[in-house]
Amino acid sequence: MDLMYKMIKNMRNSLLILGLIILFKTNASAQSYNTLWIPDTLTGTNFNLTIKDTFAQIVNTGNQTITGGINGKFWGPTLIINKGDVVNMNVQNDLNDSTTIHWHGMHLPAVMDGGPHQIIPPGTLWQPYWEVKNQASTLWYHPHLHEMSQEQITKGIGGFIIVRDAAEAALALPRKYGVDDIPIAITDRDFNTQNQFSIVPYGDSIMANMTLRAQYSVPAQYVRLRLLNGAIEASYNLGFSDNRSFYIIGTDGGLLDAPLLINGTTPRYLLSAGERVEILVNFSGQSGSSVFLKAYNQSLGNFIPGGESFPNGPFASFLGHTNYNIVKLNVTNTTANPITSVPTSLVTNTYPLEQDAALTRIITLSDSAGVTSVPILGPNAFILGHQLFNFNTINHSIPLNQTEVWELKSTSVFGHPFHIHDVEFKILTINGATPPTYQQGWKDVVLVEGGKTVRFIAKFDDYADAIHPFMYHCHIALHEDEGMMGQFVVTDLNSVNEISKEEIPITLFPNPAHDKLFVEFKNQAQSAYYVSIKDLLGRTKLMLPNPYLKDGIDISTLSKGVYTISIMEKGSKQVITKTFIVN
Ligand code: C2O
Ligand code: CU
Ligand code: CU
């Protein structure tokens, strides 16, 4: 089996090399560039996101590529949201498969988080909502269905989230979307001979916003790049082809206290899967020139994702352990009101203090060494806490408002980008030493290099839920799918759930209903925790976490027929199921 796979991959590689030689010999336009695609933006507080199977002409010639997209041909719109707003998401799954949509980096209730437990069946509308508590930052959203994350992310499903707030708005920073404030999701893909994506950890082609050989015009002034590593596995050691310096202004969870100059002979920033960085690049006075944003992965060690060079096998890639262009930036004219300087300071961050930590939680990252065997990684699966992920095991329970130190202890040979939901954290030490300045801001992903120990601190506040867990995992989608993941609940010790055995009296009206269905609890102290509506074939049509029922449930999307509604009561977690008719 393994051998066959290797043979096919070898054959595929030699065919591709042959193909490339032919391309170079016969087609001079093989080196032509495509304009970097900039996702549309959605603003406001109500967001309609329809996920569907679709296709796009990604490779310039030949077949279109089968993709997954949100409101479009691939990827999805950039959601621009404001701190303090309550945002409502209408996530319609029109894929042929179940999926989930996770709001990566967002601090919200676990039931709204879109992790592997919030499965959206095909044909179902999921309506999470939350108050935006994050500070201004660059977050993203992507599928998180267990054992399917790699496949669904490979299809291209995902999107940026830009959080804005007053502190950021007060700064003289580039903020014209797509002009001097440019989101770039970097990823790599492998195309088969039919131009279709192969589901592999490392691709042979680099993509920026799903664009191959991308180029883009930038104005001759300071430009802000919001860079996201949306890859399945690779890290990208980012820098510019002329080794120009740049400023880091923000990391995963928001702006730094002050811009940080990355300079020297080879200014680089290593961005691992799931991570974001916001940088400022100075193009003043450079109109007419071009520069490449590149990945300098040749300098990466063999055990950093993207640093390995496998000639064949499932991890082979033309991009392994080499340097390559990501996007060509062509400097044009200056815009009106350009940003021509870098602010001396940005925001005032208050990080949790180590002396306030109630405990140190130790999470090991290790190689299973034959203890467990999983599909692609085989007997050398990577695991957290000495065990593979189990859907039904809550690995940790954290009291609400507790500040904790998490000690990530790696005995793995390989580097793993560790990600945690619910919180942004601050890195305290890496192998006992203070981390480099550019890793001292808010983070939700940290690359834990093989054999190293990373300690971070976080406070688990605002949201407690004894039954819906948050996840932590390696953000290499292959490792996550194969079980390098765990889960925790945040519990509120002050709230006691009384379990009553009695049937909960509830009224549904009108029935038959047309546009709205009202649900009323006889006991005013009771309320709904989760509502789901299924049709007669048992297909889930609506999923409403923690719904606000006073205005009725909008059932205008349901066609005529008989439905069942299941209502989980908040305090008792009892489920009441009733039937209603839509006419
Ligand atoms: Cu971006 Cu749990 O993931
Ligand atoms: Cu996440
Ligand atoms: Cu990993």
Side-chain angles (χ1 to χ4, degrees):
M1 184 61 205
D2 214 325
L3 196 71
M4 262 256 294
Y5 192 98
K6 279 183 186 161
M7 277 171 58
I8 293 168
K9 179 86 190 188
N10 276 340
M11 263 170 57
R12 190 192 60 93
N13 279 353
S14 38
L15 276 177
L16 265 177
I17 289 165
L18 195 74
L20 273 182
I21 292 169
I22 293 169
L23 267 178
F24 276 116
K25 284 203 163 153
T26 61
N27 186 356
S29 71
Q31 280 300 306
S32 69
Y33 295 97
N34 301 304
T35 303
L36 177 77
W37 174 73
I38 302 290
D40 290 343
T41 57
L42 292 179
T43 55
T45 52
N46 275 294
F47 296 90
N48 297 329
L49 302 172
T50 301
I51 317 163
K52 53 182 190 297
D53 294 300
T54 172
F55 40 81
Q57 193 73 50
I58 293 177
V59 180
N60 290 39
T61 54
N63 291 335
Q64 299 197 60
T65 304
I66 296 167
T67 56
I70 302 175
N71 301 1
K73 290 173 176 228
F74 42 61
W75 196 237
T78 298
L79 314 181
I80 300 184
I81 62 179
N82 298 304
K83 183 177 182 179
D85 279 356
V86 173
V87 292
N88 302 281
M89 301 294 172
N90 305 305
V91 183
Q92 173 68 32
N93 177 15
D94 283 347
L95 296 169
N96 295 315
D97 271 320
S98 292
T99 191
T100 82
I101 290 292
H102 165 56
W103 321 101
H104 179 131
M106 197 72 71
H107 179 49
L108 38 51
V111 73
M112 312 291 180
D113 187 47
H117 293 268
Q118 282 89 52
I119 299 168
I120 319 169
T124 301
L125 178 66
W126 177 53
Q127 297 185 294
Y129 63 90
W130 65 89
E131 183 192 333
V132 180
K133 294 189 187 248
N134 290 66
Q135 64 183 84
S137 49
T138 305
L139 312 180
W140 66 304
Y141 57 101
H142 63 78
H144 212 309
L145 187 64
H146 187 47
E147 297 179 339
M148 290 290 283
S149 289
Q150 184 185 5
E151 183 174 330
Q152 296 191 343
I153 291 170
T154 297
K155 284 172 109 174
I157 306 169
F160 278 99
I161 303 173
I162 294 177
V163 182
R164 298 205 189 283
D165 67 10
E168 190 266 353
L171 295 166
L173 288 173
R175 207 172 284 112
K176 278 175 233 116
Y177 182 82
V179 178
D180 64 359
D181 181 354
I182 305 166
I184 306 180
I186 309 166
T187 186
D188 50 72
R189 289 289 183 278
D190 201 3
F191 295 88
N192 70 14
T193 52
Q194 299 300 308
N195 286 352
Q196 303 310 318
F197 293 138
S198 316
I199 314 293
V200 289
Y202 292 119
D204 291 331
S205 307
I206 192 76
M207 301 183 89
N209 295 345
M210 301 306 278
T211 312
L212 292 167
R213 298 183 312 283
Q215 68 172 350
Y216 201 64
S217 296
V218 291
Q221 60 207 53
Y222 272 101
V223 169
R224 178 185 198 167
L225 301 179
R226 298 176 190 257
L227 304 169
L228 157 69
N229 181 331
I232 299 299
E233 175 146 2
S235 301
Y236 304 117
N237 195 25
L238 301 172
F240 292 91
S241 52
D242 57 0
N243 282 321
R244 68 178 55 208
S245 57
F246 53 92
Y247 287 89
I248 293 179
I249 56 167
T251 50
D252 300 337
L255 296 174
L256 301 176
D257 290 352
L260 187 72
L261 182 64
I262 304 292
N263 59 3
T265 47
T266 55
R268 304 284 181 258
Y269 188 86
L270 181 63
L271 195 69
S272 290
E275 283 185 305
R276 289 86 64 209
V277 66
E278 288 187 32
I279 66 172
L280 289 183
V281 194
N282 189 5
F283 296 107
S284 304
Q286 296 162 26
S287 174
S289 68
S290 300
V291 67
F292 287 95
L293 173 68
K294 295 186 65 147
Y296 287 94
N297 281 12
Q298 196 158 37
S299 56
L300 296 183
N302 233 317
F303 296 110
I304 301 290
E308 326 92 303
S309 64
F310 284 104
N312 48 46
F315 298 95
S317 158
F318 292 148
L319 303 181
H321 199 72
T322 183
N323 301 337
Y324 45 90
N325 298 332
I326 297 169
V327 56
K328 184 179 183 217
L329 300 167
N330 303 313
V331 188
T332 58
N333 295 327
T334 308
T335 63
N337 309 313
I339 299 292
T340 53
S341 62
V342 174
T344 47
S345 66
L346 297 166
V347 294
T348 311
N349 291 295
T350 314
Y351 299 106
L353 298 172
E354 202 170 340
Q355 74 218 42
D356 295 330
L359 54 83
T360 295
R361 209 175 279 279
I362 294 174
I363 310 283
T364 59
L365 294 81
S366 56
D367 306 344
S368 66
V371 177
T372 39
S373 191
V374 290
I376 296 177
L377 298 168
N380 287 309
F382 300 112
I383 48 178
L384 296 176
H386 304 293
Q387 52 191 318
L388 278 179
F389 176 66
N390 182 330
F391 225 90
N392 302 312
T393 304
I394 300 295
N395 303 90
H396 303 276
S397 174
I398 300 175
L400 181 65
N401 291 324
Q402 183 150 293
T403 298
E404 299 194 350
V405 172
W406 280 41
E407 186 168 314
L408 313 173
K409 268 175 115 82
S410 171
T411 59
S412 176
V413 292
F414 199 63
H416 302 276
F418 181 94
H419 169 54
I420 184 170
H421 292 205
D422 183 27
V423 293
E424 292 291 333
F425 56 76
K426 177 165 173 67
I427 302 172
L428 294 171
T429 57
I430 298 179
N431 263 7
T434 310
T437 330
Y438 57 81
Q439 285 196 311
Q440 290 180 17
W442 290 111
K443 297 284 296 161
D444 56 52
V445 181
V446 58
L447 179 70
V448 184
E449 288 184 42
K452 293 199 178 173
T453 297
V454 173
R455 291 168 67 251
F456 71 68
I457 190 165
K459 186 173 185 195
F460 297 81
D461 55 8
D462 296 318
Y463 304 114
D465 185 329
I467 58 174
H468 290 101
F470 289 108
M471 319 308 291
Y472 56 91
H473 57 92
C474 172
H475 216 289
I476 293 175
L478 168 67
H479 297 181
E480 172 201 323
D481 278 345
E482 295 211 329
M484 197 177 188
M485 180 156 69
Q487 48 194 348
F488 64 95
V489 288
V490 178
T491 53
D492 185 355
L493 300 175
N494 298 315
S495 94
V496 182
N497 291 337
E498 270 180 56
I499 308 290
S500 104
K501 284 272 174 296
E502 262 122 76
E503 162 89 2
I504 294 169
I506 232 170
T507 347
L508 275 191
F509 64 93
N511 192 1
H514 187 56
D515 284 326
K516 294 238 163 171
L517 178 71
F518 291 83
V519 176
E520 225 171 64
F521 287 86
K522 195 160 173 225
N523 177 349
Q524 300 273 307
Q526 293 177 324
S527 62
Y529 181 66
Y530 209 106
V531 169
S532 63
I533 293 177
K534 288 187 165 76
D535 67 12
L536 273 186
L537 297 173
R539 292 181 299 214
T540 305
K541 290 291 166 189
L542 283 174
M543 295 161 69
L544 310 169
N546 202 10
Y548 180 75
L549 294 175
K550 293 280 184 299
D551 300 336
I553 299 170
D554 181 355
I555 52 162
S556 58
T557 56
L558 301 179
S559 48
K560 285 183 185 169
V562 180
Y563 294 85
T564 59
I565 178 168
S566 299
I567 302 152
M568 184 186 276
E569 197 277 321
K570 201 171 225 150
S572 64
K573 302 289 186 298
Q574 264 195 66
V575 178
I576 315 110
T577 300
K578 293 196 177 270
T579 302
F580 70 99
I581 293 166
V582 174
N583 68 0

